[in-house]
Structures are given as C-alpha cells and as structure tokens.
Amino acid sequence: MAIRKLLLLLKPVDLYPFLETDGVSLIKNHQVLQYLESRCKVHRDAITFCQEILNKKPVEWKPISRNDLSHPIRDVDMVITVGGDGTLLHASHFIDDSVHVLGVNSDPTQAHEVEELSDQFDASRSTGHLCAATVDNFEQVLDDILFGRVVPSKVSRISVKLNSEPLLSHALNDILIAHPCPAAVSKFSFKIKNKDCDTNPKTVNCRSSGLRVCTAAGSTAAMLSAGGFLMPMLSRDLQFMVREPISPGPTLSQMHSAFKPDQSLDVNWYSDHGTIYIDGCQVNYNVQLGDTIEISSDAPVLNVFLSQGFTQIRSRY
C-alpha cells in the first residue's frame, strides 16, 4: 500500500491549562512547575519537528488536534499520532482496518529525571508502549514506511454488543464494566460461549467491583496492574478478570482467564446501574438491570506500526 495522504493527529499543546489562571500559577512547588513546563515545551518541539520532517517528504498531510476529532477518519492512508499511548488510543476509535497508524511518543520518560526527582514527586513522562517512534528516529521510521520496508502489525480490538446491538467504538486496550460509583457492588453473571457450538456453557455468578476484559495490547496496562498476565502482542485471545470478587468460593478459579477468537464472553447485568468504559473513561455506555453484553474479538484489527517491526529491519543490515 502506497502512503501518500497523511493525517497528523496532535495531543493538545496546552497540556496543563491549570499552570496559570489570570497570569498566576496554581502550582507553588517550583520543581513541579519546571517539570510541567518542560513537558509542554518538549511536546511542542516534537510537533514542530515532525511537521518539518513531513514537509520534506513526497506526501500530502494536514494536522488536527485530538480534541477536534469527532468523525471517522476517511480518505487518508495513514494517521500519525504525536503524543503518547492515549493519543493513539483516541485515534483508534475513529479508524477502521483500512488506515495505518504510527505513534510518535512526543515526551518519553527520562530515566535520569525520574531518579533525580523521585524523592520529590513522580517524574514519569509518557510510556509510549504502542508508539514506534520518537523525535530521535521519526524520519528513519517514516522513510521505512514510505519506502515499503515495513508493514503494520494487525493488533486485535474488542467488539461489544449491548442487547445484541453492536457498539460503535472498539477497544484497543480494554473494557471495564462496573457501577458508575467505584465503591458500589455490581451483580452480574457471565459465561464463555463457543460461537459455532450448541453446548450449554457454565454460568458464573458474581458480586464484585466489576469485570475487565483486555486485548493482548491492553495486557500491559490496567490488567497487568491488577495481577493479570502478559500476552503476545499479536494474540487474538482476550483476557478477562472479575475485579475484587466477594466470597467467590469454588468459582474463584473461573474469575480470571482468557478466551479464544471463536468464543465470546456473554454477560448478564443484574444491577440497577452500570457503565461500559472503553479504553479508559472518555468513551462509555450506560447499562441497566437486565441488559446483556456480548464481548468478542470480532472487531476490525488496527493496523499499527510497532517498534518490533523496525527492529527486525535494522537486524538485516
């Protein structure tokens, strides 16, 4: 696929609008203030750098702020996100499997900075797990793509049906089904169903703080923090975990596992209120007593360039 038309999707430049109100900084700690101002500058410089590189290439491109993206992305060959994993995740909700994606981590964590400031505050910046480029290698990565030396990876996403109706958004990382109040208990049941089999799967009844389901890409995020296991990036399996089950008894071993692409996780919701959170809190759908939720990997894959692909190219030379 020839890459000719690009969309440059930008994390907002005013990352921390609370730094000043009426010309007065709301941050009193001088070190924290310097750190946040540095992050803004590094991000702005990264945007400028990427735009300068694109101006030298035989491509047509236009920039757009992440906050201004509200419609499906069409008529481009590739989206380049400049920010971090959050910006790439945001873009993924507007992209089908016909558009390629490259993530540029504009503000990578600096190990020396974290070590120097660890006694003062958390100086971590952006992880960029899904981002194959930084300003240090952006032009080289872009050339590899434009000259066809690398192909994108097909990364699984999660499809959700609410009462048999497909939701418009697909999760690249994970979904969480829980009560809108994090302190409330949710009641639900689930079963793993084989799509092409008439067998009667076992139902697991739960009282807990919710249910999380992740892709392979999302297994490095919230799922891992909750005690889940890492999955190979290109796996089509989905991993699920019941959060903080109450007195699970003999069903404890069934509260955390994975299911295959030819299976679905079918959920019955028995609480008055609930919310399906997709890749965090920005995309969400309300559920109520009696609703059914079907979760599977039937969503279109995301064609994203990952750093592993470029490492393989370098090893050939």
Side-chain angles (χ1 to χ4, degrees):
M1 173 181 172
I3 305 294
R4 293 292 179 264
K5 296 183 66 176
L6 308 178
L7 182 69
L8 191 66
L9 184 68
L10 308 173
K11 183 177 180 177
V13 176
D14 54 337
L15 301 178
Y16 305 103
F18 55 80
L19 286 180
E20 288 191 3
T21 300
D22 297 327
V24 179
S25 173
L26 301 179
I27 305 295
K28 303 306 178 184
N29 186 308
H30 182 66
Q31 281 187 307
V32 173
L33 181 60
Q34 279 191 320
Y35 163 75
L36 295 179
E37 289 176 338
S38 169
R39 293 201 64 176
C40 290
K41 182 180 185 305
V42 169
H43 177 61
R44 285 194 298 266
D45 290 347
I47 291 174
T48 300
F49 177 81
C50 290
Q51 291 174 330
E52 290 174 349
I53 295 298
L54 287 173
N55 283 333
K56 299 191 300 182
K57 305 302 176 182
V59 295
E60 176 186 341
W61 66 278
K62 63 178 181 180
I64 182 174
S65 171
R66 184 178 71 188
N67 291 349
D68 295 331
L69 186 61
S70 58
H71 300 288
I73 297 174
R74 308 281 190 225
D75 302 322
V76 299
D77 303 314
M78 183 168 72
V79 173
I80 299 176
T81 64
V82 183
D85 286 339
T87 303
L88 195 149
L89 282 169
H90 186 83
S92 73
H93 299 149
F94 298 88
I95 299 174
D96 60 19
D97 54 2
S98 67
V99 178
H100 297 173
V101 187
L102 169 66
V104 180
N105 186 355
S106 64
D107 185 30
T109 292
Q110 305 298 318
H112 71 277
E113 188 177 52
V114 173
E115 183 177 356
E116 291 172 5
L117 300 174
S118 61
D119 289 339
Q120 304 297 321
F121 58 91
D122 181 5
S124 300
R125 294 180 179 240
S126 175
T127 302
H129 179 72
L130 296 171
C131 298
T134 65
V135 294
D136 293 333
N137 67 351
F138 174 64
E139 184 169 16
Q140 186 176 39
V141 166
L142 182 62
D143 285 343
D144 285 338
I145 294 172
L146 296 180
F147 287 100
R149 292 193 287 260
V150 66
V151 296
S153 298
K154 298 184 181 299
V155 177
S156 291
R157 291 190 280 187
I158 300 174
S159 171
V160 182
K161 291 182 180 180
L162 179 58
N163 298 323
S164 300
E165 292 295 323
L167 301 185
L168 296 178
S169 295
H170 304 302
L172 177 58
N173 260 4
D174 54 34
I175 68 168
L176 171 65
I177 311 172
H179 194 282
C181 173
V185 174
S186 298
K187 292 183 180 181
F188 58 92
S189 68
F190 70 86
K191 57 187 175 182
I192 298 175
K193 184 178 178 181
N194 294 316
K195 297 176 185 177
D196 300 325
C197 184
D198 294 331
T199 59
N200 188 22
K202 180 176 178 57
T203 297
V204 180
N205 296 303
C206 305
R207 289 185 301 146
S208 79
S209 61
L211 174 70
R212 188 184 302 279
V213 183
C214 79
T215 62
S219 69
T220 65
M223 183 66 80
L224 183 63
S225 298
F229 51 84
L230 290 175
M231 304 166 66
M233 179 62 81
L234 300 185
S235 172
R236 295 280 289 165
D237 294 355
L238 299 180
Q239 182 180 168
F240 70 89
M241 178 184 289
V242 176
R243 299 199 313 167
E244 302 165 337
I246 299 174
S247 303
T251 63
L252 178 61
S253 62
Q254 301 172 60
M255 298 290 172
H256 177 209
S257 189
F259 56 101
K260 300 294 183 180
D262 60 351
Q263 298 176 313
S264 65
L265 188 71
D266 292 6
V267 180
N268 288 288
W269 193 255
Y270 297 129
S271 293
D272 290 338
H273 303 286
T275 304
I276 302 172
Y277 298 97
I278 296 181
D279 286 336
C281 62
Q282 293 187 6
V283 179
N284 57 78
Y285 298 85
N286 292 328
V287 294
Q288 56 189 2
L289 180 67
D291 282 348
T292 61
I293 306 158
E294 181 184 323
I295 305 163
S296 71
S297 58
D298 284 345
V301 298
L302 187 71
N303 286 299
V304 57
F305 292 97
L306 301 174
S307 57
Q308 180 182 0
F310 297 95
T311 302
Q312 292 171 345
I313 286 180
R314 306 289 171 253
S315 66
R316 298 175 188 169
Y317 298 96

